[in-house]
Amino acid sequence: MAGGTGSAHSGPGPILRLLAVLAALHGVGAEEEQRFVGLVEENYVYGNLKHEVNIYVKVFTNSPFLLCMDLARAQEELIDPNYLWIGPDGRRLEGQLHVNLLEPGKLMLLGFKESMSGAYTCALSHQVLETTTQKEREVSETYRFMVYAYREADHTYQVLTRFTTSKCELRANSLFFGELLRVLTNIISDLTCHITKSSYKCHSIRTPKQGLLHELFVRFQVNPFGQGWEEVCKQVPYDCEDVTNMRVQEARDRIEEFFQKQTGVLRHEFQTVPTIHYVENSFSVTPIDSCRPGFGKNNAKHRGCAGCCVVCEPGTYSPDNRVTCQVCLHPRVRMYGARLC
């Protein structure tokens, strides 16, 4: 086998065998563990007479109960209470299919969608008995809730790793890079993830102890939207982000394990170090978030859901998987979750 200072004519054979050994050691095609969520905690959100209350509901789930009262009012007796809930479209919510108003003054929104986002108001009226005159008078109070649909961010991972080579002009460098991508793609092929934005660049590095070295800086992204991901989402439409994020995390873990094993394989499987070989501990990974069309991040405005992809508000839109909603200067339709301006 070629040594660490092999010539340009040594060929990529040892390199390809090294990659093949590592791929076999990894154990490609392990069955994926399925995750199911079976517990939903019942919770309540009180109104506030001084300001509107922001609530964030994950798409396709039920909202918490919105209470048409503040905490202080909830501790008091109410005479002849009457509750009137109004939705974002200005219509009464009583009798609509997507709401649960079984308990007085308590509203739950069912199967929440981005189009259901907006202001929900409740007018509470009740009688107050004057102790001196024994007369009744009606008191009205209004509570306002701003309810926003949100999704979990989709995760992509940016990977950087390095390989030592004998020369930057070595033809085997490009052959090695192509074979490396092929092996990595095979490792994650069952996860509907794929390798994107891959590249490499050779740099000359002078070190105090080893002198001048040549290294390949390899970059790529592990993306969850590989071939077949739509079919996976059709099977679990209500938590597709959870499934895709779980799969891309598994892909990222497999790739990290692949590179971690390289040092051991070099020590135990090869008597002579190949021309191109992994630089120990050079693997690094950085998560990159993105949002589905119609959603974006705004941690300053939506502090109650920092890191969430919150539905784009009227006058803004997001046409693709960018991370923020863009302002639309001339919106044709003012709606939540707009994908077009």
Side-chain angles (χ1 to χ4, degrees):
M1 291 184 182
T5 58
S7 69
H9 302 289
S10 59
I15 303 162
L16 305 191
R17 286 197 290 274
L18 169 63
L19 290 169
V21 169
L22 290 173
L25 283 173
H26 181 272
V28 176
E31 186 172 323
E32 182 187 8
E33 179 183 356
Q34 297 295 324
R35 183 179 64 170
F36 298 95
V37 179
L39 176 64
V40 178
E41 261 185 32
E42 186 179 52
N43 51 7
Y44 301 88
V45 179
Y46 287 95
N48 193 308
L49 288 174
K50 296 180 180 180
H51 57 78
E52 63 188 24
V53 177
N54 289 346
I55 300 173
Y56 300 89
V57 183
K58 191 172 182 179
V59 290
F60 304 119
T61 67
N62 298 338
S63 76
F65 275 106
L66 283 58
L67 302 187
C68 188
M69 63 192 74
D70 56 23
L71 184 58
R73 187 65 72 207
Q75 311 303 317
E76 301 173 356
E77 287 186 343
L78 297 179
I79 301 175
D80 297 330
N82 183 59
Y83 306 92
L84 175 62
W85 285 97
I86 303 296
D89 58 1
R91 296 167 55 193
R92 297 179 60 164
L93 293 176
E94 187 176 2
Q96 296 195 31
L97 296 177
H98 65 282
V99 302
N100 180 355
L101 284 170
L102 294 180
E103 298 184 59
K106 298 179 181 179
L107 167 68
M108 175 181 283
L109 302 167
L110 308 176
F112 203 78
K113 301 176 183 178
E114 54 260 46
S115 60
M116 295 165 60
S117 300
Y120 289 79
T121 59
C122 179
L124 165 61
S125 61
H126 60 93
Q127 302 295 322
V128 173
L129 179 65
E130 298 288 355
T131 56
T132 56
T133 64
Q134 297 298 306
K135 292 183 178 181
E136 295 181 0
R137 62 182 176 89
E138 186 175 80
V139 175
S140 296
E141 300 163 348
T142 300
Y143 299 92
R144 180 180 171 92
F145 301 86
M146 288 299 300
V147 188
Y148 300 96
Y150 81 91
R151 290 180 178 270
E152 300 291 345
D154 291 310
H155 302 313
T156 295
Y157 294 98
Q158 174 75 51
V159 175
L160 171 64
T161 188
R162 293 156 63 178
F163 291 83
T164 293
T165 185
S166 58
K167 294 179 182 180
C168 282
E169 298 79 14
L170 196 66
R171 180 175 175 270
N173 292 340
S174 61
L175 297 175
F176 166 82
F177 178 69
E179 185 63 16
L180 174 65
L181 295 181
R182 188 193 67 79
V183 171
L184 294 176
T185 298
N186 185 54
I187 287 175
I188 64 174
S189 61
D190 62 315
L191 297 174
T192 66
C193 299
H194 66 150
I195 306 296
T196 63
K197 299 184 178 180
S198 57
S199 64
Y200 79 93
K201 190 172 183 180
C202 188
H203 293 279
S204 299
I205 302 173
R206 184 170 296 280
T207 63
K209 295 182 179 180
Q210 297 177 286
L212 188 65
L213 298 176
H214 303 286
E215 291 188 0
L216 306 178
F217 286 62
V218 175
R219 299 175 184 271
F220 59 88
Q221 290 186 7
V222 186
N223 187 289
F225 304 114
Q227 184 176 3
W229 78 272
E230 296 95 338
E231 294 302 318
V232 173
C233 279
K234 289 178 182 178
Q235 300 172 27
V236 282
Y238 300 134
D239 60 352
C240 187
E241 307 91 55
D242 295 339
V243 171
T244 54
N245 284 335
M246 180 178 64
R247 286 172 175 264
V248 76
Q249 175 66 46
E250 171 67 15
R252 174 236 185 268
D253 292 345
R254 290 186 188 182
I255 289 174
E256 181 175 14
E257 182 182 1
F258 171 84
F259 285 107
Q260 287 176 343
K261 287 181 177 180
Q262 291 216 30
T263 300
V265 171
L266 282 170
R267 292 173 180 172
H268 302 297
E269 299 291 333
F270 293 88
Q271 296 180 351
T272 304
V273 177
T275 303
I276 302 175
H277 59 275
Y278 174 67
V279 176
E280 187 173 356
N281 298 322
S282 67
F283 177 87
S284 65
V285 61
T286 303
I288 301 173
D289 286 350
S290 63
C291 296
R292 299 290 174 93
F295 291 79
K297 288 187 178 184
N298 188 336
N299 293 344
K301 178 177 176 59
H302 299 296
R303 297 178 183 176
C305 201
C308 301
C309 293
V310 181
V311 64
C312 294
E313 297 187 61
T316 67
Y317 73 107
S318 178
D320 48 30
N321 294 95
R322 65 188 68 191
V323 76
T324 58
C325 298
Q326 309 298 306
V327 175
C328 184
L329 298 179
H330 305 287
R332 299 175 183 174
V333 179
R334 300 185 68 86
M335 57 179 288
Y336 283 90
R339 292 159 172 78
L340 299 173
C341 179

